[in-house]
Amino acid sequence: SHVVLPGVGSFAEAMQRLRQRGFDAALEEHVQRRGKPFLGICLGMQVLAEFGEEGGTTPGLGWVSGTARRLVGDGVRLPHVGWNSVTRPSDSALFSGVPAQADFYFAHSYYVACEAASVTGWCDYGQAFCASLQQRHIFGTQFHPEKSQPYGLYILRNFLETAGKS
């Protein structure tokens, strides 16, 4: 009924494996054609972009207009690992019941640079970056909800309960 694509690793290698195994076509069929709700987590969100720069410029799934780029900023350590707050510019069904400025767990060096209209949450780590996004029934989180304790469980529950209604 729902599709979740978690991910830890390299953009280029992830896309290569998705394509080699035919998962890109299966995702296209189930999510884009059949409209199944989708949640991409960390690298699973990054591969939604048109391109990724990690491992050389590589085409992504192209469901979100943008590019997965390396974080930059003075005095920041990469990978970005740890707890940071997510600021939400708008209401998103994904964050229902989650207090403003709640902390979530991050472990990444890349982020999706995309149109602000798609962004449902921002984080600041040396630079402001997209922490979550939504386009219709397609959701993404740069943070790991499965490691983000109670607020992460809200995210997962909200995805299961409300994503199909978006």
Side-chain angles (χ1 to χ4, degrees):
S1 65
H2 293 66
V3 178
V4 177
L5 181 62
V8 174
S10 161
F11 188 103
E13 187 172 331
M15 286 308 304
Q16 178 185 16
R17 290 184 184 204
L18 285 173
R19 288 188 173 105
Q20 282 176 342
R21 295 180 174 140
F23 289 141
D24 60 333
L27 287 168
E28 184 74 25
E29 173 64 26
H30 288 280
V31 178
Q32 293 290 63
R33 290 195 188 93
R34 296 185 187 181
K36 289 189 179 181
F38 176 92
L39 175 63
I41 298 172
C42 197
L43 180 58
M45 177 174 113
Q46 293 172 15
V47 298
L48 295 174
E50 296 168 297
F51 296 96
E53 296 176 348
E54 184 178 18
T57 301
T58 304
L61 294 172
W63 299 352
V64 172
S65 180
T67 302
R69 294 196 168 119
R70 186 171 175 84
L71 285 167
V72 294
D74 292 334
V76 298
R77 297 177 78 184
L78 293 179
H80 168 209
V81 176
W83 295 86
N84 283 97
S85 62
V86 172
T87 303
R88 298 184 307 271
S90 63
D91 290 333
S92 167
L94 207 58
F95 286 95
S96 179
V98 177
Q101 299 287 325
D103 285 347
F104 294 92
Y105 187 80
F106 290 85
H108 66 114
S109 296
Y110 288 78
Y111 69 99
V112 177
C114 63
E115 297 172 2
S118 300
V119 178
T120 58
W122 293 97
C123 183
D124 193 312
Y125 186 73
Q127 70 179 85
F129 67 87
C130 173
S132 61
L133 60 80
Q134 178 183 355
Q135 286 191 355
R136 301 171 319 281
H137 62 288
I138 298 169
F139 298 82
T141 63
Q142 185 58 64
F143 56 86
H144 289 266
E146 77 282 7
K147 294 183 179 190
S148 296
Q149 300 191 8
Y151 299 137
L153 293 177
Y154 274 107
I155 298 292
L156 295 173
R157 184 201 69 209
N158 291 338
F159 171 68
L160 293 173
E161 290 179 356
T162 64
K165 301 173 189 172
S166 298

